[in-house]
Amino acid sequence: MSIEKPPLASGLARTRSEQLYETLAAAIKSPFGSMDANGVPATAPAAIGGGRETLSRKSSRRLMMSASPGRSGGAGTHIRKSRSAQLKLELEEVSSGAALSRASSASLGLSFSFTGFAMPPEEISDSKPFSDDEMIPEDNEAGNKKPKFQAEPTLPIFLKFKEVTYKVVIKKLTSSENKEILSGINGSVSPGEVLALMGPSGSGKTTLLSLLGGRISQSATGGSVTYNDKPYSKYLKSKIGFVTQDDVLFPHLTVKETLTYAARLRLPKTLTREQKEQRAIEVIQELGLERCQDTMIGGAFVRGVSGGERKRVSIGNEIIINPSLLLLDEPTSGLDSTTALRTIQILHDIAEAGKTVITTIHQPSSRLFHRFDKLILLGRGNLLYFGKSSEALVYFSSIGCSPLITMNPAEFLLDLANGNINDISVPSELEDRVQVGNSGRESQTGKPSPTDVHEYLVEAYETRVAEQEKKKLTDPVPLDEEAKAKILRLKRQWGASWWEQYCILFSRGLKERRHEYFSWLRVTQVLSTAVILGLLWWQSDIRTPRGLQDQAGLLFFIAVFWGFFPVFTAIFAFPQERAMLNKERAADMYRLSAYFLARTTSDLPLDFILPSLFLLVVYFMTGLRLSPYPFFLSMLTVFLCIIASQGLGLAIGAILMDLKKATTLASVTVMTFMLAGGFFVKKVPVFISWIRYLSFNYHTYKLLLKVQYKDFAQSINGMRIDNGLTEVVALVVMIFGYRLLAYLSLRQMKITT
């Protein structure tokens, strides 16, 4: 029997399916092999009926390359059919009358010989069959590698939640009311599965995800949430990874630095630093981030990695600890469809490694929708569907809701959850209800209102499916009691000692903020101010009373400038890092005391450089005392002023945690301290004179006068020249007092997610 070859357009290379068609025809004509003109075997001596070998994707790509016009010397454009079209290719009644598909022809174990190419037999034996993974478009950002996550030993978590409710109290001027966010939500998810939480905006997806991850106080919730049939424990944090919707990352750190610091802080103490850093590299490879590992993350004002890469870094921050349960809040938001599909495929690979994965999704494409194992559809805080995602359309069709036109299944479900029934068939039961009892709600178009649709969907689920699903939730998880008890035996384990946490956070803070401190704008601001001061007070002479007064004004300006500047830098510290602090404290990455001390001390090396340059310019241009002792004491005085004023800024920022409020309060405070600094007003009323003793400007000004004129005068501007010990003690008390106030304020801050 002969098989006719389909005609090829002139100058066009053969597609993969045509090559396989040709090969199959050759195999049937000469089943025991033949030799080409060069004596190279054209087919392998393999029987069609048995001992099938499979052809790998890699080999197929080689065949395509050999058949392309560029390699064969032909002209034209290389055209490649989609895999779906190749799968439709069938050969009817070949030899025995059985239909052979394209996949069958690929598994015949044959060698090919067109354009002088012969496939080595060893590649045939090592080859793999085509799989559905070929249908996944490759993400250009991630390269051509498909990540394979190591199935590391971890505690499997079977998550069940039954009749979950959540209410919030809305306070008004004269009263308060309870608003129900979630009402009677049921569901379950097992290791190896990906559960999608879907619904319109405001339906309660993020709230349910936070509740399942233990991020919401149990006092405001109802129902039961169990992990391996055990209640939630705060020590489960080490087994739960939570990826927030917003990518909370430091913009000036590279991808590799971000994951390395996370590994050093979160992985167990039993691992060495080298092992932790190696784990970070493995995660980079698993997520396909090798190409951008040395690129800064970037942010609103800093160019960095793309949105898809940034999302993968956020996922990497969580999977680096090998969590048993991974929760993600809208991981595909803001991504194009191809990158979103790649991200969901990563979640599937993570689940296949024995993890339990739950993700919220807003409006997935049809390809994304079919990638989920289970689906929960929420509407106005109620459960509209729970089950396999592949059976969702079947269920809604059974209750009379079907799309009238071809549409994305996710769009169809979201339309139903919103009560939008355009292009959707309406069950007669719902139409009758509108016509008979709910005419007041009937819309102008004569269709059921969104409220009617919502009530019908909730009622349909409760009567048809809910009881059956609730019974499934009572089944015990397939684990022995020893495995279940491990949940209760978990203890809080820090990934590093207190000192190690401090050193890691100090290094991270230094790397992150060096770009901010040494920006050309700030350097220009400080140096230009220094030059202007030097020109205005050029070689001032203190031998005359007027010159002495002028130089005292210079010293007061130095005290004010280096009291004002650090305050308005420090007030941004904690409000800007609040999201990062919330995220990392919720994950128990470090102790708050280690973070606070590292945050406040990592600024000190940077804070000393610009003031030193400032004083070097001003000191010698203005003709202050040219000897080492006064110079270094003046510099030490300015440093004490900087640290004290920085403490005030940290305290204001930590107490208010709002930039507008903090800036306003800091402005009033600094102005008050400046006016009470002892230069503008010599005689202050007794009832308000205590303010000057709280002013770091006052103590800094007095110290600078005593350093410069210790051997020159007994008193200046009514201030007695002594050893200055009182002022030093006052500044040291401010340094520690303001910081203690800031730390206590952070301790009182509630962790929000």
Side-chain angles (χ1 to χ4, degrees):
M1 134 176 215
S2 63
I3 298 178
E4 295 184 2
K5 175 184 174 184
L8 284 174
S10 177
L12 298 181
R14 289 169 293 188
T15 63
R16 185 191 299 178
S17 57
E18 289 164 349
Q19 295 166 4
L20 293 173
Y21 190 107
E22 209 176 60
T23 305
L24 182 60
I28 294 172
K29 291 178 180 178
S30 180
F32 297 101
S34 63
M35 305 292 287
D36 63 9
N38 298 323
V40 180
T43 57
I48 294 178
R52 291 184 175 180
E53 301 286 350
T54 57
L55 179 62
S56 69
R57 257 175 286 168
K58 178 178 177 183
S59 303
S60 301
R61 289 195 182 103
R62 290 181 180 175
L63 293 175
M64 293 296 298
M65 291 169 63
S66 68
S68 64
R71 292 181 180 266
S72 61
T77 305
H78 174 58
I79 296 178
R80 181 177 179 177
K81 292 183 179 179
S82 66
R83 184 175 183 271
S84 59
Q86 296 168 8
L87 290 175
K88 292 179 180 178
L89 179 63
E90 295 183 355
L91 303 177
E92 298 180 355
E93 303 295 324
V94 179
S95 64
S96 63
L100 295 178
S101 67
R102 166 228 182 272
S104 300
S105 64
S107 64
L108 289 175
L110 305 176
S111 179
F112 300 78
S113 179
F114 37 82
T115 65
F117 176 87
M119 184 175 181
E122 60 271 14
E123 289 197 16
I124 299 176
S125 61
D126 295 336
S127 58
K128 298 179 180 179
F130 293 104
S131 69
D132 291 338
D133 294 331
E134 285 185 313
M135 298 179 67
I136 303 173
E138 294 174 346
D139 183 7
N140 293 330
E141 297 173 353
N144 294 330
K145 292 183 178 180
K146 179 183 175 183
K148 291 296 181 184
F149 292 86
Q150 299 178 358
E152 302 175 22
T154 186
L155 176 65
I157 289 183
F158 293 81
L159 178 61
K160 296 179 181 180
F161 42 101
K162 186 176 180 180
E163 296 295 336
V164 170
T165 61
Y166 179 67
K167 296 180 180 180
V168 294
V169 178
I170 300 177
K171 295 182 179 180
K172 298 182 179 180
L173 292 176
T174 58
S175 62
S176 61
E177 63 174 336
N178 291 330
K179 182 179 180 181
E180 194 170 50
I181 306 299
L182 296 174
S183 176
I185 309 299
N186 301 286
S188 65
V189 59
S190 304
E193 293 179 341
V194 179
L195 168 65
L197 309 180
M198 199 167 73
S201 298
S203 59
K205 302 187 298 295
T206 300
T207 302
L208 178 58
L209 190 76
S210 300
L211 193 148
L212 297 179
R215 302 290 180 104
I216 293 180
S217 174
Q218 299 295 316
S219 59
T221 63
S224 67
V225 181
T226 59
Y227 308 78
N228 293 348
D229 291 339
K230 304 295 180 182
Y232 175 79
S233 166
K234 63 180 181 179
Y235 303 123
L236 268 172
K237 287 182 180 180
S238 61
K239 295 297 181 182
I240 298 177
F242 196 102
V243 181
T244 57
Q245 181 176 351
D246 299 321
D247 301 319
V248 183
L249 302 166
F250 285 113
H252 291 103
L253 296 182
T254 65
V255 170
K256 187 175 182 180
E257 288 171 345
T258 299
L259 294 176
T260 299
Y261 283 126
R264 292 176 61 189
L265 285 169
R266 303 188 69 179
L267 291 178
K269 293 180 184 178
T270 53
L271 300 179
T272 64
R273 175 173 176 173
E274 291 74 19
Q275 290 173 322
K276 292 182 178 182
E277 291 176 350
Q278 180 59 34
R279 173 59 181 154
I281 294 173
E282 291 172 358
V283 170
I284 289 174
Q285 294 171 347
E286 290 170 352
L287 295 174
L289 294 169
E290 300 99 321
R291 185 170 62 91
C292 62
Q293 62 180 331
D294 296 319
T295 305
M296 285 196 303
I297 297 294
F301 305 104
V302 183
R303 293 193 64 182
V305 298
S306 68
E309 290 166 338
R310 187 178 293 111
K311 182 59 67 177
R312 276 180 268 157
V313 174
S314 296
I315 296 174
N317 258 333
E318 300 303 322
I319 67 171
I320 205 163
I321 62 171
N322 188 30
S324 301
L325 175 62
L326 180 63
L327 303 106
L328 306 97
D329 191 9
E330 297 198 16
T332 60
S333 293
L335 305 181
D336 61 83
S337 60
T338 301
T339 308
L341 186 60
R342 174 66 175 177
T343 302
I344 297 302
Q345 182 58 42
I346 288 174
L347 301 186
H348 261 281
D349 294 334
I350 294 172
E352 287 174 1
K355 314 295 190 296
T356 305
V357 179
I358 306 176
T359 178
T360 62
I361 201 80
H362 186 59
Q363 190 170 359
S365 65
S366 56
R367 293 183 299 175
L368 248 66
F369 178 81
H370 292 295
R371 287 277 157 186
F372 300 121
D373 299 306
K374 288 184 176 180
L375 173 70
I376 283 181
L377 181 64
L378 298 175
R380 303 184 186 182
N382 295 104
L383 185 61
L384 306 182
Y385 175 77
F386 167 65
K388 295 181 179 179
S389 59
S390 58
E391 298 175 357
L393 296 183
V394 177
Y395 163 74
F396 284 103
S397 177
S398 69
I399 63 173
C401 298
S402 302
L404 298 176
I405 61 174
T406 303
M407 65 170 67
N408 180 350
E411 291 182 5
F412 165 69
L413 296 179
L414 288 173
D415 280 347
L416 278 179
N418 275 311
N420 177 17
I421 55 174
N422 293 330
D423 302 320
I424 296 176
S425 64
V426 180
S428 57
E429 179 184 344
L430 182 56
E431 289 181 341
D432 294 341
R433 179 186 303 182
V434 172
Q435 294 173 1
V436 175
N438 296 333
S439 58
R441 294 181 182 172
E442 191 173 354
S443 63
Q444 295 179 356
T445 59
K447 295 181 179 179
S449 67
T451 303
D452 290 321
V453 176
H454 175 76
E455 291 177 354
Y456 172 76
L457 294 176
V458 173
E459 181 182 337
Y461 182 80
E462 287 292 333
T463 55
R464 296 174 182 242
V465 183
E467 290 302 321
Q468 181 181 354
E469 292 295 336
K470 289 178 185 177
K471 289 180 181 179
K472 292 181 181 179
L473 295 177
T474 60
D475 297 337
V477 299
L479 291 175
D480 55 27
E481 291 301 321
E482 177 67 20
K484 293 180 183 179
K486 289 182 179 179
I487 291 285
L488 302 177
R489 291 201 299 264
L490 290 174
K491 295 182 179 180
R492 172 185 279 184
Q493 294 182 345
W494 300 106
S497 65
W498 188 95
W499 176 250
E500 289 173 336
Q501 289 177 1
Y502 168 78
C503 293
I504 294 169
L505 294 170
F506 182 92
S507 172
R508 187 179 74 173
L510 206 60
K511 284 186 178 181
E512 169 59 24
R513 288 185 292 280
R514 63 186 175 185
H515 303 276
E516 176 186 349
Y517 273 85
F518 298 121
S519 65
W520 67 270
L521 194 62
R522 178 168 295 196
V523 173
T524 303
Q525 179 185 14
V526 171
L527 292 183
S528 60
T529 303
V531 171
I532 291 172
L533 289 178
L535 294 175
L536 290 175
W537 275 271
W538 178 262
Q539 298 300 317
S540 58
D541 187 5
I542 63 172
R543 289 174 294 183
T544 63
R546 188 178 183 84
L548 185 62
Q549 288 295 325
D550 287 346
Q551 202 170 86
L554 169 66
L555 297 178
F556 182 75
F557 179 84
I558 292 174
V560 170
F561 182 77
W562 288 110
F564 175 89
F565 200 72
V567 167
F568 286 91
T569 301
I571 59 174
F572 292 94
F574 295 126
Q576 284 184 339
E577 291 188 10
R578 181 175 185 173
M580 180 65 73
L581 184 60
N582 276 329
K583 168 192 166 186
E584 294 181 338
R585 284 191 66 195
D588 275 349
M589 284 184 66
Y590 45 69
R591 298 171 177 86
L592 180 61
S593 56
Y595 164 79
F596 180 81
L597 195 60
R599 181 64 182 83
T600 55
T601 56
S602 61
D603 290 337
L604 297 182
L606 304 174
D607 282 332
F608 289 163
I609 295 175
L610 288 182
S612 300
L613 295 176
F614 177 89
L615 282 178
L616 283 173
V617 174
V618 171
Y619 202 90
F620 297 103
M621 287 183 69
T622 57
L624 296 175
R625 290 181 62 184
L626 297 177
S627 61
Y629 184 74
F631 173 76
F632 286 110
L633 282 183
S634 298
M635 189 167 287
L636 179 61
T637 301
V638 172
F639 288 163
L640 286 175
C641 177
I642 290 172
I643 301 172
S645 59
Q646 187 185 65
L648 176 64
L650 292 172
I652 293 175
I655 292 171
L656 299 179
M657 279 294 179
D658 182 274
L659 288 180
K660 288 185 178 180
K661 295 178 182 177
T663 304
T664 302
L665 179 59
S667 300
V668 175
T669 305
V670 169
M671 182 183 66
T672 304
F673 285 177
M674 179 184 67
L675 294 175
F679 183 78
F680 296 110
V681 182
K682 306 295 187 299
K683 187 177 180 181
V684 180
V686 178
F687 64 86
I688 202 173
S689 61
W690 55 270
I691 292 180
R692 65 169 53 185
Y693 300 106
L694 300 178
S695 170
F696 42 77
N697 298 133
Y698 174 73
H699 298 294
T700 304
Y701 177 48
K702 287 183 68 175
L703 265 180
L704 289 174
L705 289 176
K706 293 175 181 181
V707 167
Q708 290 296 319
Y709 310 127
K710 182 179 180 182
D711 301 324
F712 185 79
Q714 295 298 321
S715 66
I716 297 175
N717 290 340
M719 296 184 182
R720 189 167 56 89
I721 304 299
D722 55 19
N723 57 13
L725 181 61
T726 305
E727 287 74 22
V728 171
V729 171
L731 288 174
V732 171
V733 169
M734 290 181 187
I735 289 171
F736 290 100
Y738 287 140
R739 281 169 170 76
L740 179 61
L741 183 60
Y743 176 72
L744 293 177
S745 300
L746 289 180
R747 295 290 304 181
Q748 298 301 317
M749 186 183 72
K750 293 182 179 179
I751 300 176
T752 57
T753 55

